[in-house]
Amino acid sequence: MRSSRWWLSAATAAVLLLPTACGDDKAGGTWEGGGAPASGPAPAASAPAGPSASPTPTGKPVHIRLLQGDGSTWGVGMPIIAYLSAKVTDAHAFAAAGQVTVDGQPAGGAWYFQRSAIYKGYPLEAHYRTEKYWPAHAKIHLDLAAKGQPAGKGLVFDNSLTLDMNTGAANITKVDGKTKRMTTTSDGKQVFQFPVSLGKASTPTFGGTKVVMEKDKVQRMTGPGYDLKVPWSVRITNSGEFLHSASWNGGNIGQRSTSHGCTNLNTNDAKKFFDFAQVGDVTVYTGTGGPTMPSWDGYGDWNVAWPTWQGGGALKTT
């Protein structure tokens, strides 16, 4: 089944109008724990990187906060995410200031901007990724020397940030809607192959590349005719797609797709995957019968073609 989020952007909220969407019990408040996803660290505190070499322009201050924190470890599909406290109108200075290295070498990635409703007062978010997934077991450094840089007419960034994060193993899960099987590899070696049941024809599972967002030992899922507490739930979209245990659907797992959009697993398999998965891991869905996951419905960054991504999204960077 599919369970929805309360804090979606205006674009994301459109997904909730689809018949595949269901509700959950997390309405109100901030993202669990008051900031970052339940499975990740708290957002990094803003810290100036040093005095500006030139006088700071005047204008309304725009503050930046990061999702990731120093020393955190993520899956190879996890973008760097920054949240902006105003709807900036010019991202050229931000993109130029945000330099990223991987193991000491230029990453060669790009920033992409989109609307956000994750944090109150931060209406815009910027994601950074490379053309391909991050390398496994890598050290990633961000130097975002934005303080004093213009953010559009009458706007100026008021802080600079640095970030040192890591990637773990390259955990890649491929889910095939035609064979009803999911296969998980870690650093190229197969670790799991499980039967699944995906979304039925009227509530199909999204295709495309999705990234693990959080893990819940028990997740409440509600919708027309059901209200369940579902164990071993791994979220992969804002709009409520999970890989989760589905003991009630055991006769169909591996045989037929009958869910409300989620990936149903046998209980033991779901627990194994839950214990294994890390936030930022990649899941790739084919043959689901559904549309491609929208890029803004979670961490769907990899569903945007690289030339399009380089254009910057809501704000041009070149």
Side-chain angles (χ1 to χ4, degrees), residues 161-243:
L161 293 164
T162 62
L163 171 68
D164 286 286
M165 68 179 225
N166 309 293
T167 57
N171 298 334
I172 310 294
T173 295
K174 295 183 178 180
V175 183
D176 188 333
K178 294 183 178 179
T179 64
K180 312 295 187 292
R181 293 290 186 275
M182 64 175 269
T183 303
T184 300
T185 60
S186 183
D187 289 340
K189 297 181 180 179
Q190 182 174 312
V191 291
F192 302 127
Q193 187 176 78
F194 297 142
V196 299
S197 180
L198 303 179
K200 57 190 175 182
S202 60
T203 55
T205 302
F206 283 132
T209 302
K210 310 164 194 178
V211 173
V212 170
M213 300 179 67
E214 66 175 20
K215 305 194 300 181
D216 294 295
K217 289 184 177 179
V218 178
Q219 168 76 39
R220 186 183 179 197
M221 300 186 185
T222 61
Y226 65 87
D227 186 342
L228 298 170
K229 293 183 177 180
V230 181
W232 315 124
S233 294
V234 177
R235 182 183 285 273
I236 52 175
T237 74
N238 274 340
S239 58
E241 283 193 11
F242 292 80
L243 297 96

Side-chain angles (χ1 to χ4, degrees), residues 110-132:
W111 291 96
Y112 189 87
F113 295 81
Q114 60 192 38
R115 289 179 295 169
S116 181
I118 303 300
Y119 298 117
K120 184 178 180 180
Y122 286 75
L124 196 69
E125 59 188 79
H127 291 211
Y128 183 96
R129 73 164 176 90
T130 50
E131 183 176 4
K132 306 296 183 183

Side-chain angles (χ1 to χ4, degrees), residues 76-77 107-109 129-135 302 306:
V76 297
R129 73 164 176 90
T130 50
E131 183 176 4
K132 306 296 183 183
Y133 307 138
W134 300 110
W302 304 101
W306 180 239

